[in-house]
Amino acid sequence: MTGGGLLVAGTTSDAGKSVVTAGICRWLVRQGVKVAPFKAQNMSLNSFVTREGAEIGRAQAMQAQACRIEPTALMNPVLLKPGGERSSQVVLLGRPVGEMSARGYHGGRQQQLLGTVLDSLAQLRATYDAVICEGAGSPAEINLRRTDIVNMGIARNASLPVLVVGDIDRGGVFASFFGTVALLSREDQELVAGFLVNKFRGDVSLLEPGLDMLHGLTGRHTYGVLPFQHGLGIDEEDGLAVSLRGAVRESAVAAPVGEDVLRIAVCAVPLMSNFTDVDALAAEPGVVVRFVDRPEELADADLVVVPGTRGTVRALQWLRERGLADALRRRAAEGRPVLGICGGFQILGEHIEDDVESRAGRVDGLGILPVRVRFAREKTLERPVGEALGEPVEGYEIHHGVADVRGGEAFISDGRGHSLDGCRVGQTWGTHWHGSLESDGFRRAFLREVAAAAGRRFVPAPDTSFAALREEQLDRLGDLIEQHADTDALWRLIESGAPRGLPFVPPGALA
C-alpha cells in the first residue's frame, strides 16, 4: 500500500518551504504517524553525509530529524552544488556524477533523472505512512515547467496534492498566491489544494477578508496562518540573509557565564559551504558570531573562522584580493586564534594541487599550517568519530582535497595517539570535519582554549546541549503547525489527495 503524501511548494524561494515541511513532519510524528521528508532536487552548498556515506542537503537531514529517523539518500536523490554562476556539481543518490552547466541540465539531463526521483519517492511511500515533499523555488517557473522534476512535475507524476506557502512579511502575498495558480496549466491547477500564509505579524482578523476574497477568486482554502517567530531559520539551503545566532538565530545573544563575551568572525568566502558549522558556536551564551569581508573586521575578533567552500582556489584568491590573507597571517604569527574548516583548512596550508575543482594546478596557500593538499577525483564522504582536546568528537567529511600533514600537533586523534585529521600550530587549528563543534564537550574545551589565548574572561556554559536546542527548535516548528494550521484538513490532503472539482483559474498555461 502506498503511503500518503503532500508537496509543500512556495510562491518564491525562501518563502519558508523547508521549515514548514519540517514543522508538518514534527507535528505528524507526534501524532504517531510514520513520516519521512523528500526533496527531489535540491540546489545547496549546505550538505550532510548520511550513515551510508551519501551526500544530501542539510535541510533534508534536518527534516529527517524532525521525523525522528535517520536521513538517507532517498530523501534527496538529486543535489546540485553550484561551482560558479553557470555550473554545478550533480550529486545523484548521494554520489557526485559530474559537473554540468545550467543549460545542459535543464536541456535534457534533468528530465532523464525523473525516473530515479520517482523511484526514490515510491520507495519512501512504500515504507512510511506519509511522505512530506518540499518543492524548489516556485511551481510557476513556466520557462522550466517542461523539464521540472521537483515541483508540479513530481506532483503530477506522483499524484501529490500541493500546498503553496507564501511569506507575507515580504508583502504581495495575495498577488503571489493568485498568480502562482493562474500561471499553471489546468492539469497542474487540479493538484493545487490551497495556501499557507507564513510569517504573519499582527491581528489575523484583519487578514481574513483577504483570505475570503482569495477563496472566492481561486476556489481554494487557506490551510493556516503561521505567525512570525524569531529564531526559526535553521539549516537554510543557502544565502546569508540571517543574523547568525545559530540555534537561537535572530534572537538576542544570551548573557555570558563569565565576565566577557567571545567575538567570532567568519570570513564570508565565495561559494561558502556548510556555514551551519558555526551554529553551535553561536548557540553558546556570550558568543557573538558575525560574517566579515574586510581585514579591519578581524581586529577585535577573538577567533577567526575560515569556513568550507565549494571553490577553494577561488576563495583563496578572494582572501588575497580583500587583504584578509595578510590579516590571517598576521593573526597566526601573533598567536591569535584561527580555525580553518574543510576548504578553510586547505587554504591555511602550504600549497594546493587542484586539477579537479578549479583545474588551476598548483597554487600557493597561506602557509600557516604545514599541510599540502592534492585534489582527488573521488570525493571523501564519511562520518568519522575521534577525540580532540581530551573530549569525544564526531563530524562528517565532504571534500575532494587530500591533506598531507607534515608537522604541527595532532588536532583530532583516535584517542590512542594516532592522528585522524587536521593539525595545530600555535593557536591555528585546521580540520576537514564539518559538524565537530556540535560535540558539546569538545566545543566547550575549544572555546576555553580560544578564550585563554585571546585573554578573555569568557567561560563556556556548562550545560549547553546543541542537540537539545535543535530538538526545541523542531518542536517549535511542530507547535506552529499544530496551533495555527487546520490540521484536520491537512491530514485529509495527505491521506486522500487534492479535493476534486477545484476550479480553473484563467489564463493558465499550456499543459
Side-chain angles (χ1 to χ4, degrees):
M1 179 179 175
T2 300
L6 174 70
L7 176 69
V8 178
T11 55
T12 62
S13 295
D14 202 33
K17 296 183 294 291
S18 294
V19 293
V20 167
T21 299
I24 293 174
C25 287
R26 178 49 63 101
W27 160 65
L28 285 172
V29 80
R30 293 195 308 207
Q31 309 308 307
V33 177
K34 189 179 177 185
V35 60
F38 179 79
K39 185 163 186 174
Q41 172 196 295
N42 198 345
M43 179 172 280
S44 179
L45 289 174
N46 284 337
S47 57
F48 184 75
V49 178
T50 67
R51 292 289 180 194
E52 73 267 32
E55 184 179 9
I56 66 171
R58 269 200 70 103
Q60 280 61 66
M62 176 267 290
Q63 290 160 359
Q65 186 176 349
C67 298
R68 296 178 179 149
I69 57 176
E70 276 290 326
T72 73
L74 294 175
M75 297 171 187
N76 179 207
V78 181
L79 173 64
L80 304 179
K81 303 193 72 176
E85 292 294 327
R86 298 183 178 179
S87 67
S88 294
Q89 183 180 67
V90 181
V91 179
L92 182 62
L93 288 174
R95 295 288 174 178
V97 294
E99 297 278 335
M100 187 163 290
S101 68
R103 179 178 292 273
Y105 185 69
H106 290 287
R109 176 60 168 161
Q110 185 179 33
Q111 192 67 18
Q112 294 171 9
L113 299 175
L114 180 60
T116 300
V117 164
L118 291 174
D119 181 63
S120 298
L121 178 56
Q123 289 186 57
L124 290 174
R125 295 182 78 179
T127 305
Y128 292 90
D129 301 328
V131 178
I132 308 303
C133 308
E134 179 188 342
S138 163
E141 308 289 0
I142 54 178
N143 57 314
L144 303 176
R145 176 62 185 90
R146 183 178 59 84
T147 57
D148 171 53
I149 63 171
V150 65
N151 290 308
M152 300 313 299
I154 190 75
R156 283 270 290 276
N157 279 280
S159 299
L160 293 171
V162 179
L163 183 69
V164 181
V165 177
D167 180 355
I168 198 170
D169 197 48
R170 295 183 172 190
V173 74
F174 291 115
S176 298
F177 281 147
F178 181 86
T180 296
V181 178
L183 281 174
L184 299 178
S185 69
R186 184 181 299 273
E187 292 81 1
D188 285 351
Q189 286 192 25
E190 289 174 355
L191 293 172
V192 178
F195 314 106
L196 186 74
V197 177
N198 192 28
K199 297 185 181 179
F200 179 72
R201 304 173 191 251
D203 186 344
V204 175
S205 66
L206 298 177
L207 189 66
E208 287 171 352
L211 300 179
D212 292 340
M213 292 174 68
L214 182 66
H215 178 253
L217 289 166
T218 67
R220 289 157 174 84
H221 293 283
T222 297
Y223 284 72
V225 177
L226 308 185
F228 185 96
Q229 288 198 7
H230 289 282
L232 291 181
I234 54 176
D235 287 0
E236 289 92 350
E237 292 182 355
D238 277 308
L240 292 177
V242 292
S243 61
L244 231 301
R245 293 292 180 263
V248 285
R249 203 183 294 266
E250 298 180 4
S251 63
V253 177
V257 175
E259 297 179 48
D260 289 343
V261 298
L262 209 62
R263 296 173 176 85
I264 298 176
V266 184
C267 296
V269 297
L271 298 174
M272 191 186 320
S273 60
N274 289 64
F275 59 79
T276 48
D277 280 332
V278 299
D279 280 3
L281 295 175
E284 283 285 347
V287 173
V288 181
V289 178
R290 67 183 189 274
F291 288 104
V292 302
D293 60 4
R294 298 190 299 270
E296 56 269 25
E297 293 178 293
L298 305 189
D300 67 344
D302 302 308
L303 169 68
V304 174
V305 177
V306 187
T309 171
R310 171 79 168 86
T312 305
V313 170
R314 177 177 169 184
L316 183 54
Q317 180 182 0
W318 181 86
L319 289 168
R320 288 189 167 117
E321 290 171 349
R322 295 271 176 157
L324 286 160
D326 289 338
L328 287 166
R329 287 196 192 95
R330 286 195 298 270
R331 281 189 68 91
E334 294 166 359
R336 302 180 66 198
V338 176
L339 171 64
I341 302 174
C342 200
F345 168 40
Q346 297 166 6
I347 284 169
L348 298 178
E350 295 173 0
H351 69 249
I352 297 166
E353 293 182 21
D354 180 11
D355 296 318
V356 176
E357 191 175 78
S358 68
R359 297 180 173 85
R362 177 167 168 157
V363 178
D364 289 337
L366 298 188
I368 299 172
L369 293 176
V371 178
R372 299 176 182 179
V373 176
R374 175 185 56 82
F375 273 58
R377 297 199 176 278
E378 188 73 18
K379 182 185 282 191
T380 297
L381 295 168
E382 295 181 357
R383 288 275 294 271
V385 295
E387 181 181 292
L389 303 180
E391 297 286 346
V393 60
E394 58 183 278
Y396 55 100
E397 296 186 64
I398 306 171
H399 54 91
H400 285 280
V402 178
D404 178 12
V405 179
R406 299 189 165 210
E409 302 173 45
F411 186 16
I412 300 177
S413 71
D414 63 0
R416 297 186 296 274
H418 302 108
S419 179
L420 291 179
D421 182 75
C423 70
R424 172 184 182 176
V425 173
Q427 297 302 322
T428 300
W429 297 265
T431 175
H432 272 129
W433 291 20
H434 294 291
S436 62
L437 293 164
E438 295 180 19
S439 299
D440 297 328
F442 165 67
R443 182 180 65 254
R444 286 191 279 268
F446 178 69
L447 290 177
R448 282 193 291 268
E449 292 245 357
V450 168
R456 296 286 186 190
R457 289 171 294 184
F458 169 85
V459 179
D463 55 356
T464 301
S465 167
F466 186 76
L469 288 172
R470 175 55 55 85
E471 278 296 303
E472 289 175 14
Q473 290 285 75
L474 294 172
D475 277 332
R476 288 178 65 198
L477 294 178
D479 292 343
L480 272 179
I481 299 299
E482 188 169 335
Q483 296 168 11
H484 301 282
D486 185 343
T487 52
D488 289 340
L490 269 181
W491 178 245
R492 285 195 297 272
L493 273 188
I494 293 166
E495 191 175 40
S496 305
R500 294 185 180 277
L502 291 169
F504 172 70
V505 179
L510 296 176

